[in-house]
Amino acid sequence: MDSLGHGNNTAMTGFILLGLTNDPVLRIILFTIILCIYLVTICGNLSTIILIRISSQLNHPMYYFLSHLAFADIGYSSSVTPNMLVNFLVETNTISYPGCALQLGSVVFFGSSECFLLAAMAYDRFVAICSPLLYSTKMSTQVYVQLLTLAYAAGFLNACSFTICFYFLLFCGPNQVNHFFCDFAPLVELSCSDISIPAVVTSFTAGSIIVVTVTVIAVSYVYILITILRMHSTEGRHKAFSTCTSHLTAVTLFYGTITFIYVMPKSSYSTDQNKVVSVFYMVVIPMLNPLIYSLRNNEIKGALKRELC
């Protein structure tokens, strides 16, 4: 790979992504599977966005948030999947220094925004179940827009922090990234400069987002559970639970894999396990979300039937 100069202390202009495997047969199999998953992801999430926009029955904040979650899923998956597919077909997959920074920033932006969107959806369910008479006031258009702005602004700021920290790293040795995309952790391992400040800053910003959003989700569902347990009607309890199951499933899948990658001690899992889990939460989960919400939500299924008929 070209560098900006000669010697051991020069800055590299690009990286080689090692990808998931070197086995040529397995590469073809994975290419076919992940391509199919990506196509389903794009079609499923685009269909969700279009259906919510055209259906008057889905004219509620909960579904507006869901459409933005679908948009974030498309962006999240598209940040890494096309490049991963190319990696399966070429001998050596190189990515430029600016391209690596762009990919890293894009992944962080959409991932962070998704965290806040899931938290906003939990708050929406909290208001709908715990204060149904005040729902139109507490979840007005103004509040909805403010929550969306917060989600994307937080994602942008976190992406900026990761990108700036990436540019503070100096790379002068091996340029092979042991991953299928420009993740920050393997890039730090390649750096020949002081990594203390970039590591602390990115850990703080990412950790703060996870703690804040998980707290909002947890507190919301504690109050939701208390409210549901106080209901005398079995039908009312069932209806309240049914409006939360899709969101809870999405939250469990997303935060469960993030916890494995970013919270568990790195000594407890290998790099290959890290790659597999990363594929799950960056490629598979964006495909599953529209399926989870469409199969478990009667209003979405009803709106889809009406539009198709």
Side-chain angles (χ1 to χ4, degrees), residues 97 104 108 157-171 183-207 262 266:
Y97 191 82
L104 174 64
V108 174
L157 291 175
N158 197 31
C160 286
S161 72
F162 270 78
T163 306
I164 292 171
C165 287
F166 168 76
Y167 277 111
F168 269 100
L169 299 175
L170 181 62
F171 302 95
D183 196 10
F184 195 75
L187 288 170
V188 166
E189 294 177 1
L190 296 179
S191 176
C192 57
S193 59
D194 182 16
I195 64 170
S196 55
I197 294 178
V200 169
V201 170
T202 54
S203 296
F204 175 77
T205 56
Y262 297 107
K266 288 182 170 41

Side-chain angles (χ1 to χ4, degrees), residues 45-64:
N45 284 290
L46 274 179
S47 299
T48 299
I49 294 171
I50 294 170
L51 179 64
I52 290 172
R53 295 302 174 185
I54 65 175
S55 176
S56 58
Q57 184 185 358
L58 304 180
N59 189 20
H60 302 291
M62 179 178 74
Y63 297 111
Y64 294 153

Side-chain angles (χ1 to χ4, degrees), residues 3-286:
S3 63
L4 297 178
H6 300 282
N8 292 330
N9 295 319
T10 56
M12 293 180 298
T13 59
F15 302 93
I16 297 174
L17 299 176
L18 297 183
L20 292 174
T21 180
N22 291 322
D23 188 322
V25 176
L26 189 56
R27 285 161 74 102
I28 297 299
I29 295 173
L30 288 175
F31 172 83
T32 305
I33 294 173
I34 292 177
L35 176 61
C36 293
I37 291 175
Y38 183 60
L39 292 176
V40 173
T41 299
I42 299 299
C43 294
N45 284 290
L46 274 179
S47 299
T48 299
I49 294 171
I50 294 170
L51 179 64
I52 290 172
R53 295 302 174 185
I54 65 175
S55 176
S56 58
Q57 184 185 358
L58 304 180
N59 189 20
H60 302 291
M62 179 178 74
Y63 297 111
Y64 294 153
F65 285 127
L66 180 57
S67 68
H68 283 274
L69 183 67
F71 168 72
D73 279 334
I74 291 174
Y76 201 34
S77 181
S78 298
S79 298
V80 298
T81 307
N83 188 266
M84 190 198 315
L85 292 171
V86 171
N87 197 10
F88 290 129
L89 301 178
V90 297
E91 187 70 25
T92 302
N93 185 20
T94 60
I95 185 169
S96 67
Y97 191 82
C100 191
L102 180 63
Q103 186 181 60
L104 174 64
S106 178
V107 167
V108 174
F109 170 73
F110 286 110
S112 303
S113 299
E114 183 151 344
C115 287
F116 277 93
L117 287 170
L118 289 170
M121 294 171 75
Y123 173 73
D124 173 81
R125 291 299 82 207
F126 158 73
V127 176
I129 293 173
C130 300
S131 304
L133 298 179
L134 300 176
Y135 182 79
S136 59
T137 302
K138 291 187 175 183
M139 281 303 298
S140 62
T141 302
Q142 182 180 2
V143 174
Y144 155 74
V145 171
Q146 289 173 346
L147 290 174
L148 274 183
T149 303
L150 174 63
Y152 288 122
F156 176 76
L157 291 175
N158 197 31
C160 286
S161 72
F162 270 78
T163 306
I164 292 171
C165 287
F166 168 76
Y167 277 111
F168 269 100
L169 299 175
L170 181 62
F171 302 95
C172 48
N175 65 339
Q176 294 183 332
V177 180
N178 191 14
H179 218 306
F180 58 84
F181 76 103
C182 285
D183 196 10
F184 195 75
L187 288 170
V188 166
E189 294 177 1
L190 296 179
S191 176
C192 57
S193 59
D194 182 16
I195 64 170
S196 55
I197 294 178
V200 169
V201 170
T202 54
S203 296
F204 175 77
T205 56
S208 298
I209 287 177
I210 293 174
V211 169
V212 169
T213 54
V214 167
T215 300
V216 171
I217 293 170
V219 171
S220 296
Y221 274 104
V222 166
Y223 278 101
I224 288 172
L225 181 60
I226 292 172
T227 302
I228 290 176
L229 292 177
R230 289 177 177 173
M231 292 179 179
H232 300 293
S233 169
T234 304
E235 183 181 352
R237 287 183 181 182
H238 177 73
K239 184 177 180 181
F241 268 122
S242 65
T243 62
C244 300
T245 52
S246 299
H247 180 257
L248 273 174
T249 304
V251 166
T252 302
L253 288 173
F254 187 75
Y255 281 98
T257 50
I258 283 182
T259 300
F260 183 92
I261 293 292
Y262 297 107
V263 178
M264 287 181 63
K266 288 182 170 41
S267 59
S268 63
Y269 60 88
S270 67
T271 302
D272 288 338
Q273 287 176 316
N274 185 309
K275 291 180 184 180
V276 172
V277 176
S278 295
V279 168
F280 184 75
Y281 83 84
M282 302 188 75
V283 179
V284 178
I285 288 180

